[in-house]
């Protein structure tokens, strides 16, 4: 079994393990195939290298687990985990003006979801499925550095019931990762995920051209119906907005 490490996180996990679970957020065994609309949704995020591929995988998970329609999808690419928060009211991708650059602010690339608490374990397992048996992410030997570090954002951070559920889901998924309490602006580390409190380290939505993008690998192209969700949800007013410049070249091509 992997242990949560550093900064007292092990003792926090012990308290969670011995405490009675909160029935409102306890994981359901197997679960139903439909979303429980009686539950208040929680906001979580997951980081695992480049957010393009990760967003696609979580979109598919929303459709499969919660039976969500295109308009109901909540997976959004964005940034989180930096100590600095926003600069001038923004968190931006790399841009020619170097305005509110997410890397300079200490953030990593993540995908945000809004899900029922009872389905958190299922989505945590989807996250662990992104890693191979050695704990390497898909772009482990390509995209490197703190901008691509492994991140899990949950309400309450390591002191919450979700931290216990996260570790249990990890063990059930092959015990691939270690975990550490995120202090903000953390380094990139192989087979280690930093657990963040979403209240202290909130999510910032990325620019529209990063949403529903093709994957990072050559040939990893998704259907036009997927790529077109960015424009469609923007018109519906549910995509999320960013006031940032549109990339290094002003085009958004290849994420520049």
């Amino acid at each position: 079994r992997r242990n949560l490490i550093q900064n007292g996180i092990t003792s926090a996990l012990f308290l969670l393990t011995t405490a009675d679970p909160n029935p409102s957020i306890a994981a359901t065994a197997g679960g139903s195939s439909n979303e429980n609309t009686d539950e208040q949704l929680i906001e979580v995020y997951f980081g695992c290298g480049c957010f393009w591929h990760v967003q696609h995988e979580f979109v598919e998970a929303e459709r499969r687990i919660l039976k969500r329609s295109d308009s109901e999808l909540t997976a959004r690419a964005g940034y989180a985990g930096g100590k600095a928060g926003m600069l001038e009211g923004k968190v931006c991708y790399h841009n020619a003006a170097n305005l509110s650059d997410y890397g300079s602010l200490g953030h990593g690339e993540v995908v945000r979801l809004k899900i029922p608490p009872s389905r958190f374990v299922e989505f945590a397992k989807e996250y662990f499925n992104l890693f191979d048996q050695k704990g390497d992410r898909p772009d482990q030997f390509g995209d490197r550095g703190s901008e691509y570090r492994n991140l899990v954002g949950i309400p309450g951070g390591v002191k919450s019931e979700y931290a216990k559920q996260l570790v249990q889901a990890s063990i059930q998924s092959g015990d691939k990762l270690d975990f550490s309490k995120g202090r903000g602006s953390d380094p990139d580390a192989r087979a280690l995920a930093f657990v963040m409190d979403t209240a202290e380290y909130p999510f910032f939505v990325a620019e529209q051209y990063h949403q529903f993008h093709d994957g990072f690998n050559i040939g990893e192209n998704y259907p036009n119906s997927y790529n077109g969700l960015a424009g469609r949800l923007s018109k519906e007013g549910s995509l999320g907005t960013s006031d940032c410049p549109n990339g290094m070249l002003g085009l958004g091509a290849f994420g520049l």
Side-chain angles (χ1 to χ4, degrees), residues 13 35 60 64-65 86-87 114 121 138 156 170 189 211 236 242 246:
L13 175 61
E35 184 170 353
E60 292 303 303
R64 185 177 66 258
I65 296 171
M86 297 187 292
L87 179 63
K114 295 181 180 180
V121 167
S170 176
Q211 306 297 336
E236 293 179 2
S242 170
N246 198 14

Side-chain angles (χ1 to χ4, degrees), residues 200-213:
E200 187 175 359
Y201 299 98
F203 170 84
F204 302 97
V205 69
E207 298 82 349
Q208 180 173 330
Y209 68 85
H210 278 306
Q211 306 297 336
F212 306 99
H213 198 288

Side-chain angles (χ1 to χ4, degrees), residues 45-233:
Y45 57 75
F46 298 95
C48 174
C50 176
F51 47 24
W52 294 340
H53 172 77
V54 178
Q55 184 181 27
H56 177 265
E57 296 307 295
F58 277 116
V59 164
E60 292 303 303
E62 285 191 88
R63 288 171 169 162
R64 185 177 66 258
I65 296 171
L66 301 178
K67 307 301 182 185
R68 284 178 170 169
S69 66
D70 288 349
S71 296
E72 294 172 325
L73 295 171
T74 64
R76 299 291 185 271
Y79 316 109
K83 290 181 179 179
M86 297 187 292
L87 179 63
E88 299 180 358
K90 300 179 181 66
V91 177
C92 303
Y93 193 71
H94 309 307
N95 58 85
N98 199 30
L99 177 66
S100 303
D101 182 281
Y102 81 100
S104 299
L105 295 173
H107 295 295
E109 296 187 10
V110 300
V111 171
R112 190 274 334 263
L113 297 157
K114 295 181 180 180
I115 58 175
S118 63
R119 313 311 291 269
F120 173 72
V121 167
E122 292 169 87
F123 282 91
K125 289 180 178 179
E126 293 294 326
Y127 176 65
F128 297 125
N129 286 341
L130 296 171
F131 298 85
D132 68 16
Q133 292 303 312
K134 296 180 180 180
D136 291 331
R137 55 182 182 252
D139 60 350
Q140 186 71 49
F141 303 104
D143 291 327
R144 300 183 186 183
S146 61
E147 297 167 3
Y148 304 106
R149 66 191 183 271
N150 306 322
L151 292 167
V152 178
I154 51 179
V158 300
K159 296 182 179 180
S160 76
E161 173 69 18
Y162 300 110
K164 173 186 173 182
Q165 294 183 15
L166 182 71
V167 174
Q168 292 173 337
S170 176
I171 295 169
Q172 294 168 5
S173 300
D175 200 19
K176 305 171 186 178
L177 301 180
D178 284 321
F179 301 91
S180 177
K181 177 181 178 180
R183 289 180 168 271
S185 304
D186 300 291
D188 189 14
R190 182 189 159 278
L192 174 67
F194 293 96
V195 180
M196 317 302 294
D197 185 340
T198 52
E200 187 175 359
Y201 299 98
F203 170 84
F204 302 97
V205 69
E207 298 82 349
Q208 180 173 330
Y209 68 85
H210 278 306
Q211 306 297 336
F212 306 99
H213 198 288
D214 286 333
F216 49 78
N217 287 325
I218 296 175
E220 190 178 0
N221 300 320
Y222 304 129
N224 291 337
S225 59
Y226 174 81
N227 300 141
L229 287 172
R232 174 180 169 183
L233 296 180

